[in-house]
Amino acid sequence: MKYFCCNEMRREAVRKSSLNGIDYLEVRDRAANAPEERQRILFIHFLKPLTAPVPAKENIRIEGGERIVGIQPLSAAPGTGDEDHILKVELDRYGDYSTYTLKLVAGPEDDTPLPGMDVRLASIDFSFKAECPSDFDCKPSKACPPDETSEPDIDYLAKDYESFRKLMLDRMATTVPNWKERNPADLGVVLVELLAYAADQLSYQQDAVATEAYIGTARQRASVRRHARLMDYYMSDGRNARAWVHFRVERDLSPAVPGEPLIAKGAKLLSQIPGESRPTLPDEPELYFKTDVVFETLEEVNAFYKDHNELNFYTWSDQNCCLPRGATRATLRGHLPNLEEGTVLIFEEVIGPQTGVEADSNPERRHAVRLSEDGALSNDPVPVGGQDVTEICWHEEDALPFPFCVSNMTDKGYKPDISVARGNIVLADHGLQIKDEKLGVVPDKFLFRPSKSEGFCEPGETEPVYPRFRPTLKYSPVTQSGPFDKSRSASRSLHPPLEAEIKPSILLNSKVAGEDSPWEARRDLLNSASDDEDFVLEVENDGTARVR
């Protein structure tokens, strides 16, 4: 990953080492001896004088371009005397207005850096049109731009409790400007909210029947769902929350029993107030709902590693660095062989970038990424004794949504590890499994209605009608869960799209002749026969769910 750093100290570090590297590149344009040589002569300035092996044209590669690609070097000649650190390169043609990259490689078919060259300074970006006049003012590029804030979009036309409440508070601000209290416990706010509630109820009762009869005005979820389905649309009930859970371990952990996972799928994860202990786990689901937020793991865990508790970024001897927005690669300090493809890491800001105090870190500066390939182990030979590093890359969908400050000069001096990466991450689903809930017994008494008769005077026969059986689940709200696939990015795993097959997390069985008969969850029953074992879960406004 190429960091954007305020203090680029890599060149000074390379000058003190045994390696060489590119300092800058010069494109000869207006100073060319002949018009045909303009933008075809490059002067590569190195940090140190060129020594064997001197780069030849076979070691020079020009990449990039939009309209003009495949530029090839014709010759490469080193300078002498005071110019022994300059390499003159002649190209077969010049490039377009896009950015190109010049690389010094070991050979035409070998992408590794040229021996004796620093891996970080063996390539450089440049433009052929640096001296070309332009009629446009270029917008300054910021690798770490500040966060953009958006103003709220307020709707004043909604006819419900919130709109009535806001209308009354706005009126009070006009008539009684000195009254600015907004505390819910204030008597004035209480009266406004009571009047808004009463107005909402009266407004609904005035046209309740007509409201539910049309999809544009229906307010009950069941009504809107059925209207939408008749128009060949499906209404989503949303999905449950998911969370990445970080486990900090004191040593490497593996399953105690071979063949069994360290943490099984569906293991309960409970919320807890810091400083309070939990002596025993509750037995009744009601106790969970009253005291805890319950999550359950979505995958099995086979190992935890102590080295993954906190991983530090490596900035290649540079300071005041950040991972820019949109980054998909980074370098970690040390050899980490257990960072395999599919591993999830969470980047987190742990120190305030300005003050250098841990309490000033922004808790919203967290982002999860899933590695798209195994970590690449390598070594930086520039520091004394060398430094082991691990190169990681992650899915494009997990590109950083905002910059992460890695190191900075703070009020408390220079801080190198302002943001870190954390491993030992497990995905958990919000919800609690409740087993063996009884929904009751289907009534065995049928209703009878007369069928059509063939003649006017002939009485029609009666036919049985199955009674309606729509039990209500005891606990609510019901978890609506989406699919989970470890091959997808961390963003897709945490937030599966609503267009995916999101279903209620219910396994419904009925007893038929003493044997379990499983039912299948459907979006609707329009294509189900009367004897098909299909069901639909309808969620009402208050979260209660009926099985139909």
Side-chain angles (χ1 to χ4, degrees):
M1 174 62 208
K2 183 178 180 181
Y3 292 90
F4 173 80
C5 301
C6 302
N7 298 340
E8 297 184 355
M9 304 175 63
R10 184 67 179 184
R11 287 179 171 82
E12 295 300 327
V14 173
R15 284 191 177 99
K16 298 177 182 179
S17 68
S18 60
L19 300 177
N20 201 351
I22 299 176
D23 190 9
Y24 64 93
L25 184 145
E26 178 184 357
V27 179
R28 175 163 292 183
D29 190 354
R30 298 179 183 179
N33 298 327
E36 59 271 11
E37 292 184 357
R38 293 187 61 178
Q39 301 181 11
R40 292 180 53 240
I41 306 297
L42 305 181
F43 291 93
I44 307 175
H45 293 253
F46 291 85
L47 297 173
K48 302 176 183 179
L50 293 173
T51 58
V54 177
K57 66 176 183 178
E58 292 80 8
N59 304 118
I60 299 174
R61 183 180 301 171
I62 307 294
E63 297 180 351
E66 295 181 359
R67 295 184 298 104
I68 303 176
V69 297
I71 299 177
Q72 300 294 330
L74 298 178
S75 64
T80 58
D82 295 338
E83 297 183 350
D84 57 355
H85 62 287
I86 301 177
L87 184 69
K88 179 181 178 181
V89 180
E90 182 180 358
L91 306 178
D92 61 347
R93 49 185 165 165
Y94 56 81
D96 54 33
Y97 282 86
S98 61
T99 300
Y100 289 79
T101 301
L102 183 143
K103 294 183 178 180
L104 298 179
V105 295
E109 305 297 332
D110 192 351
D111 294 335
T112 58
L114 183 68
M117 293 292 169
D118 177 50
V119 65
R120 304 290 293 177
L121 301 180
S123 64
I124 187 171
D125 296 335
F126 71 98
S127 172
F128 284 96
K129 312 299 181 181
E131 296 186 17
C132 295
S134 175
D135 297 331
F136 302 97
D137 293 332
C138 297
K139 181 180 179 180
S141 176
K142 296 182 179 180
C144 304
D147 295 336
E148 297 182 359
T149 58
S150 58
E151 297 296 330
D153 185 15
I154 302 176
D155 183 11
Y156 295 92
L157 303 179
K159 190 180 178 183
D160 55 7
Y161 165 81
E162 291 293 340
S163 63
F164 283 123
R165 179 181 182 275
K166 189 178 187 313
L167 181 64
M168 295 179 187
L169 291 177
D170 291 344
R171 180 61 179 170
M172 293 291 290
T174 303
T175 57
V176 190
N178 293 331
W179 183 72
K180 301 180 180 180
E181 186 62 56
R182 291 298 181 268
N183 193 319
D186 180 73
L187 180 60
V189 176
V190 171
L191 292 176
V192 168
E193 292 180 348
L194 285 175
L195 291 175
Y197 174 78
D200 184 28
Q201 295 296 318
L202 291 174
S203 176
Y204 175 74
Q205 292 176 7
Q206 288 175 352
D207 53 358
V209 176
T211 297
E212 300 302 322
Y214 301 95
I215 188 172
T217 58
R219 301 175 66 180
Q220 298 296 325
R221 289 190 62 86
S223 302
V224 175
R225 174 192 294 274
R226 295 174 186 179
H227 282 305
R229 185 64 192 95
L230 291 176
M231 299 175 64
D232 205 20
Y233 286 91
Y234 293 99
M235 188 182 76
S236 173
D237 287 315
R239 61 174 182 268
N240 66 333
R242 287 181 176 177
W244 296 108
V245 182
H246 168 61
F247 288 82
R248 177 174 289 272
V249 296
E250 297 181 354
R251 56 183 177 84
D252 294 348
L253 296 179
S254 58
V257 179
E260 294 186 2
L262 181 63
I263 296 180
K265 179 180 179 181
K268 294 182 179 61
L269 303 176
L270 309 180
S271 61
Q272 184 176 354
I273 300 176
E276 293 189 4
S277 59
R278 184 193 305 279
T280 58
L281 295 178
D283 296 328
E284 296 296 330
E286 292 89 344
L287 299 180
Y288 280 108
F289 298 145
K290 292 180 180 179
T291 60
D292 303 283
V293 178
V294 185
F295 283 76
E296 294 184 351
T297 57
L298 278 174
E299 54 185 322
E300 294 181 349
V301 180
N302 295 318
F304 283 141
Y305 303 98
K306 181 181 178 181
D307 293 342
H308 293 185
N309 287 338
E310 185 173 304
L311 308 173
N312 301 113
F313 295 103
Y314 185 65
T315 58
W316 301 89
S317 307
D318 294 329
Q319 294 183 356
N320 292 10
C321 305
C322 75
L323 275 173
R325 178 181 178 181
T328 57
R329 303 181 67 89
T331 307
L332 300 178
R333 188 183 302 129
H335 276 181
L336 303 167
N338 295 313
L339 289 182
E340 302 175 346
E341 179 181 357
T343 301
V344 175
L345 299 178
I346 292 182
F347 297 165
E348 178 184 6
E349 181 181 288
V350 296
I351 299 177
Q354 302 301 327
T355 63
V357 180
E358 294 183 5
D360 293 335
S361 61
N362 188 352
E364 295 184 358
R365 291 284 177 174
R366 294 191 180 117
H367 183 66
V369 301
R370 188 185 295 276
L371 302 187
S372 57
E373 59 185 52
D374 295 344
L377 308 181
S378 60
N379 183 273
D380 183 8
V382 172
V384 178
Q387 173 64 55
D388 292 335
V389 297
T390 302
E391 301 277 353
I392 60 172
C393 62
W394 51 89
H395 288 263
E396 292 288 343
E397 294 180 346
D398 295 335
L400 301 187
F402 44 75
F404 272 93
C405 182
V406 177
S407 60
N408 195 27
M409 182 62 67
T410 68
D411 298 341
K412 292 186 176 296
Y414 178 72
K415 295 291 183 179
D417 297 321
I418 291 179
S419 298
V420 300
R422 301 195 186 278
N424 299 331
I425 305 299
V426 180
L427 185 61
D429 227 0
H430 182 210
L432 173 66
Q433 294 185 22
I434 300 175
K435 299 181 179 180
D436 301 331
E437 179 180 344
K438 304 297 182 182
L439 299 183
V441 179
V442 179
D444 55 358
K445 296 182 179 180
F446 298 104
L447 301 177
F448 295 92
R449 65 182 179 187
S451 60
K452 293 183 179 180
S453 59
E454 296 181 359
F456 181 81
C457 299
E458 298 178 1
E461 297 181 356
T462 58
E463 59 181 1
V465 178
Y466 291 98
R468 288 188 176 183
F469 180 65
R470 296 182 59 194
T472 302
L473 298 181
K474 182 178 180 181
Y475 303 103
S476 64
V478 177
T479 297
Q480 306 280 346
S481 182
F484 171 65
D485 186 358
K486 292 188 65 174
S487 63
R488 307 293 293 273
S489 64
S491 301
R492 282 297 185 97
S493 298
L494 186 64
H495 302 292
L498 291 177
E499 296 80 10
E501 192 66 19
I502 297 178
K503 294 183 178 180
S505 298
I506 294 179
L507 296 178
L508 180 61
N509 288 302
S510 61
K511 290 287 186 179
V512 179
E515 297 182 0
D516 289 336
S517 180
W519 291 57
E520 185 173 357
R522 298 284 189 181
R523 286 185 171 184
D524 59 69
L525 301 178
L526 296 179
N527 296 322
S528 300
S530 59
D531 56 349
D532 289 342
E533 293 183 339
D534 300 337
F535 74 94
V536 169
L537 188 75
E538 291 184 330
V539 181
E540 300 296 342
N541 294 4
D542 58 356
T544 59
R546 293 179 177 271
V547 180
R548 181 165 61 89

